[in-house]
């Protein structure tokens, strides 16, 4: 009996220890660090003086704080809006049955599987001011008269990182929304057609309401992932130029690993946690409500 | 959501169309043309969306001076492998490190997550619900927070610039995901099978390793695949926890390469192609597992 108990424990106790070390510890350390003056010397001295709320005061009072908060919001909302709209359009399009449909839909997953750093690097090349194909095409079509300084001008950098991030996020939105569309019973459309509904009315009164649970899942997951986005911005602009694309995540990195103020970096990280967790809880509640409603 | 089924249905409908065509030739022929018309439109959409990847590949085969010509060359008319040579020279080592760390992460992830998933699925743990909640919520933890505190921990215990340390840090991306995904899969193992094994005298671990895991092969493959991809793509832990050239994976290798040679687009794009290879291979050989994993690990049930 005790042997069985031990055997059972050996299934999950190692995992619990793992969770404690790799999730519990970092969260706690980040919390304590945010109340300490933790700098490079702390590593050698092994000691960091307590500063109370000093780090938070410094971070929240920093002129970069409202900037990064605003940038994070703009980046997140713009990315989500376009990813979702384009993803939904594609999902609706690929719902039709046509030769090679499955294969072509599968190919669209590729951007999502690539390392973000690779996608970012490719967009650096696409958006290069002098030799990038995007400017070349826009100039040829006479949509612009001068090359757009996508990555080097504070006025355009945010648009550039959003474009790259939208491209990366489209497949994820498409796949989940496509799955949601598949689960809508065909007879509902037949019934709507009998009632004389056109394509728009079918979308408005059948697809959209029935897709709502999936819509909220995809938007919330997208929100949670986009809020902590880091790689794309780092490779495209490193938060620049002139902090035009500095997000909370990249700022936290910069404060900790470039300026070596680990305490303040931890404080920025905690602000990010609070925001991410707020949305995470809203999301989990939405999922639970959806499952209860099923 | 499996595409193989969809393709099968599509070809089945196509066959129906052919049979119908003999009956009512005109209408059916028009439908068939319409279908191929949709395919043509779909090809255009795919071409536009995947254009950045073509452009990467195109640049990876053109000499650097050709890339700095206006107008740009749409095809590598005069292809060169110089870029790939340079990519292997500068990134070869980083690619091997990425491969090693990613494979190691698959093992770590499965070793931690699979037994936990089984316990969550079948042991009737008192706090199973809470644990599942924790596994979901920690996936939403911003990576920079983990990096910040693991950096201080690692510097104390000497795991900075260590591939094992990096592997363990990256496993935090895949362990909760794999545990949630596998739990859903392992729940489907019939309890009778487990009871029968117990009657035959098999212990918990023996049943788990010899019967449960082989029965849930697909779930294990999906979890392993995603552990590999997460690790291969990781940049945040790599840039914060490794600084020495000898231990940095390819994502950081490319990042530093951009910093050092902003104009050598040929070698840079060749490196980017090489770093995309695993994703491309996995999409071809394991597409049905990927479809399962898109949400499987971050949504309950």
């Amino acid at each position: 009996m005790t042997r069985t108990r031990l055997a059972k424990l050996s299934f999950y106790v190692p995992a619990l220890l793992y969770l404690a070390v790799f999730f519990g510890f970092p969260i706690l350390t980040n919390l304590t660090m945010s109340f300490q003056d933790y700098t490079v010397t702390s590593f050698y001295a092994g000691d960091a003086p307590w500063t109370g709320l000093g780090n938070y005061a410094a971070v929240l009072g920093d002129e970069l704080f409202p900037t990064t908060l605003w940038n994070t919001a703009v980046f997140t909302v713009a990315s989500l809006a376009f990813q979702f709209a384009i993803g939904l359009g594609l999902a609706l399009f690929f719902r039709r049955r046509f030769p090679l449909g499955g294969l072509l839909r599968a190919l669209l997953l590729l951007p999502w599987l690539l390392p973000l750093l690779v996608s970012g690097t490719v967009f650096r090349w696409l958006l290069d001011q002098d030799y990038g194909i995007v400017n070349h095409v826009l100039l040829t079509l006479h949509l612009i008269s001068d090359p757009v300084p996508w990555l080097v001008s504070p006025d355009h950098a945010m648009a550039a990182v959003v474009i790259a991030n939208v491209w990366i996020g489209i497949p994820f939105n498409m796949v989940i929304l496509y799955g949601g569309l598949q689960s809508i019973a065909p007879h509902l459309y037949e019934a709507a057609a009998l009632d004389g509904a056109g394509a728009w009315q079918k979308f408005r009164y059948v697809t959209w309401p029935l897709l709502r649970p999936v819509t909220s899942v995809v938007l919330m997951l997208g929100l949670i992932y986009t809020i902590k986005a880091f790689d794309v911005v780092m490779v495209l602009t490193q938060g620049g130029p002139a902090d035009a694309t500095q997000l909370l995540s990249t700022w936290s990195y910069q404060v900790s690993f470039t300026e070596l103020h680990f305490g303040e970096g931890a404080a920025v990280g905690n602000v990010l946690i609070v925001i991410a967790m707020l949305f995470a809880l809203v999301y989990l509640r939405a999922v639970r409500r959806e499952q209860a409603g099923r | 959501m499996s595409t193989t089924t969809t393709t099968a249905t599509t070809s089945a409908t196509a066959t129906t169309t052919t049979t119908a065509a003999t009956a009512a030739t005109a209408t059916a022929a028009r439908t068939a043309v319409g279908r191929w018309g949709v395919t043509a439109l779909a090809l255009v959409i795919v071409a536009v969306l995947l254009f950045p990847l073509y452009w990467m590949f195109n640049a990876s085969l053109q000499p650097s001076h050709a890339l700095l010509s206006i107008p740009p060359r749409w095809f590598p008319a005069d292809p060169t492998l110089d870029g790939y040579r340079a990519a292997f020279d500068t990134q070869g080592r980083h690619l091997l490190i990425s491969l090693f760390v990613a494979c190691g992460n698959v093992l770590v992830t499965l070793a931690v997550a699979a037994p936990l998933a089984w316990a969550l699925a079948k042991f009737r743990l008192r706090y199973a619900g809470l644990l599942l909640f924790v596994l979901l919520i920690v996936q939403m933890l911003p990576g920079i927070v983990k990096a910040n505190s693991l950096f201080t921990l690692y510097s104390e215990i000497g795991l900075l610039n260590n591939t094992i340390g990096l592997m363990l840090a990256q496993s935090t991306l895949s362990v909760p995901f794999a545990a949630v995904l596998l739990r859903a899969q392992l729940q489907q193992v019939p309890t009778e099978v487990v009871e029968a094994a117990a009657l035959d005298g098999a212990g918990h671990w023996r049943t788990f390793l010899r019967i449960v895991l082989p029965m849930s092969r697909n779930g294990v493959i999906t979890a392993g695949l995603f552990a590999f991809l997460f690790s291969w793509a990781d940049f945040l832990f790599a840039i914060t926890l490794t600084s020495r050239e000898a231990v940095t994976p390819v994502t950081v290798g490319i990042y530093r390469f951009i910093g050092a040679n902003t104009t050598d687009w040929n070698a840079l794009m060749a490196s980017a192609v090489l770093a995309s290879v695993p994703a491309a291979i996995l999409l071809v050989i394991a597409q049905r597992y990927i479809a399962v994993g898109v949400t499987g690990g971050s949504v309950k049930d």
Side-chain angles (χ1 to χ4, degrees):
Chain A
M1 200 58 196
T2 37
R3 263 197 63 181
T4 337
R5 247 195 91 102
L6 269 179
K8 277 192 167 184
L9 283 175
S10 69
F11 273 81
Y12 59 90
V13 170
L16 293 181
L17 289 175
Y18 171 92
L19 289 176
V21 173
F22 286 96
F23 290 101
F25 172 82
I27 293 171
L28 285 180
T29 311
N30 211 63
L31 200 61
T32 51
M33 268 168 75
S34 71
F35 296 114
Q36 285 174 294
D37 186 16
Y38 211 108
T39 54
V40 178
T41 43
S42 313
F43 289 110
Y44 301 108
D47 185 44
W50 295 93
T51 57
L53 290 171
N55 290 326
Y56 288 94
V59 163
L60 299 179
D62 195 308
E63 56 175 8
L64 263 181
F65 178 69
T67 312
T68 52
L69 198 61
W70 172 248
N71 286 346
T72 308
V74 170
F75 176 78
T76 308
V77 172
S79 295
L80 283 183
F82 287 105
Q83 285 172 3
F84 179 80
I86 300 173
L88 179 60
L90 289 173
L92 287 167
F93 177 81
F94 277 94
R95 182 159 65 146
R96 312 168 67 156
R97 295 252 163 87
F98 57 88
L100 301 180
L103 175 74
L104 293 174
R105 190 164 45 81
L107 274 177
L108 287 185
L109 266 183
L110 198 51
W112 183 71
L113 293 172
L114 292 190
L116 291 172
L117 202 100
V118 167
S119 316
T121 310
V122 173
F123 270 87
R124 259 186 96 127
W125 170 228
L126 292 165
L127 296 172
D128 187 80
Q129 185 177 354
D130 301 321
Y131 306 107
I133 190 70
V134 172
N135 274 346
H136 175 74
V137 169
L138 292 177
L139 283 169
T140 315
L141 295 175
H142 297 288
L143 290 172
I144 51 172
S145 48
D146 294 303
V148 178
W150 291 107
L151 301 170
V152 286
S153 128
D155 298 332
H156 297 93
M158 182 55 89
V161 293
V162 167
I163 290 171
N165 199 49
V166 166
W167 183 76
I168 292 162
I170 289 172
F172 176 77
N173 283 261
M174 182 194 75
V175 169
I176 300 182
L177 292 169
Y178 178 83
L181 289 177
Q182 293 303 95
S183 63
I184 299 177
H187 71 82
L188 293 172
Y189 290 104
E190 287 155 22
L194 282 179
D195 289 344
W200 164 250
Q201 283 168 316
K202 281 186 196 165
F203 176 79
R204 173 71 186 76
Y205 296 107
V206 181
T207 311
W208 186 248
L210 289 173
L211 199 61
R212 245 200 72 120
V214 182
T215 309
S216 59
V217 166
V218 80
L219 282 177
M220 288 310 297
L221 277 180
L223 186 71
I224 290 155
Y225 294 141
T226 314
I227 264 180
K228 56 182 192 178
F230 176 80
D231 303 19
V232 189
V233 173
M234 280 297 282
V235 69
L236 279 172
T237 60
Q238 280 143 309
D243 295 309
T245 55
Q246 196 73 267
L247 308 180
L248 283 169
S249 59
T250 53
W251 188 36
S252 174
Y253 170 83
Q254 192 188 307
V255 172
S256 282
F257 292 96
T258 312
E259 295 163 17
L260 302 173
H261 293 143
F262 288 92
E264 287 180 24
V268 179
N270 283 335
V271 172
L272 191 55
I273 288 191
V274 170
I275 298 175
M277 287 301 138
L278 271 178
F279 285 116
L281 287 175
V282 172
Y283 161 69
L284 288 172
R285 271 192 61 173
V287 170
R288 194 169 297 171
R289 216 173 338 147
E290 184 220 324
Q291 281 173 345
R294 243 189 235 160
Chain B
M1 213 203 280
S2 142
T3 325
T4 20
T5 0
T6 330
T7 334
T9 349
T10 321
S11 52
T13 354
T15 334
T16 333
T17 324
T18 342
T19 342
T22 37
T25 330
T27 4
R30 213 179 303 137
T31 331
V33 170
R35 275 169 200 236
W36 282 102
V38 178
T39 303
L41 186 54
L43 277 169
V44 173
I45 293 175
V46 170
V48 169
L49 278 172
L50 296 190
F51 177 78
L53 301 180
Y54 169 72
W55 207 239
M56 157 176 83
F57 187 66
N58 182 38
S60 78
L61 290 171
Q62 296 196 29
S64 278
H65 64 85
L67 293 174
L68 303 185
S69 68
I70 297 171
R73 297 179 189 177
W74 293 86
F75 304 100
D78 182 20
T80 167
L81 288 177
D82 286 352
Y84 286 93
R85 244 168 256 133
F88 272 114
D89 281 349
T90 55
Q91 306 300 328
R93 198 193 161 80
H94 299 310
L95 284 163
L96 285 178
I97 292 166
S98 282
L99 191 65
F100 170 74
V101 174
C103 290
N105 183 41
V106 173
L107 297 180
V108 173
T109 301
L110 292 179
V112 178
L116 174 65
W118 181 237
L120 282 172
K122 297 284 177 179
F123 285 4
R124 297 168 191 278
L125 300 179
R126 193 187 299 168
Y127 298 108
L130 179 70
L131 199 48
L132 191 64
F133 177 76
V134 168
L135 288 170
L136 287 170
I137 209 102
V138 292
Q139 290 184 52
M140 294 152 187
L141 201 62
I144 187 68
V145 170
K146 283 185 277 174
N148 206 2
S149 35
L150 283 180
F151 180 83
T152 58
L153 173 69
Y154 278 14
S155 71
E156 271 170 45
I157 60 176
L159 271 182
L160 283 181
N161 282 313
N162 182 309
T163 46
I164 305 291
L166 180 61
M167 191 188 292
L168 289 170
Q170 290 177 348
S171 75
T172 61
L173 302 168
S174 45
V175 164
F177 181 89
V180 173
L181 185 127
L182 281 171
R183 171 191 161 270
Q185 301 271 325
L186 297 185
Q187 264 178 337
Q188 287 161 20
V189 173
T191 316
E192 300 83 56
V193 175
V194 184
E195 282 164 359
L199 281 179
D200 286 347
H204 277 284
W205 276 100
R206 204 181 152 82
T207 313
F208 177 67
L209 293 173
R210 292 286 169 81
I211 298 167
V212 174
L213 285 187
M215 277 181 77
S216 322
R217 227 188 63 203
N218 287 357
V220 175
I221 293 176
T222 306
L225 256 171
F226 275 84
F228 185 93
L229 282 176
F230 286 169
S231 194
W232 182 270
D234 167 67
F235 170 68
L236 180 55
F237 288 125
I239 190 96
T240 48
L241 303 178
T242 64
S243 53
R244 218 175 286 146
E245 272 288 284
V247 288
T248 48
V250 70
T251 45
V252 175
I254 291 178
Y255 182 72
R256 299 247 162 87
F257 192 77
I258 301 177
N261 319 269
T262 19
T263 49
D264 193 358
W265 289 109
N266 175 231
L268 193 56
M269 288 300 117
S271 310
V273 170
L274 292 180
S276 321
V277 166
I281 293 177
L282 291 179
L283 186 66
V284 173
I285 63 170
Q287 197 237 317
R288 67 198 178 103
Y289 301 110
I290 287 169
V292 178
V294 172
T295 52
S298 23
V299 181
K300 206 171 94 181
D301 290 324

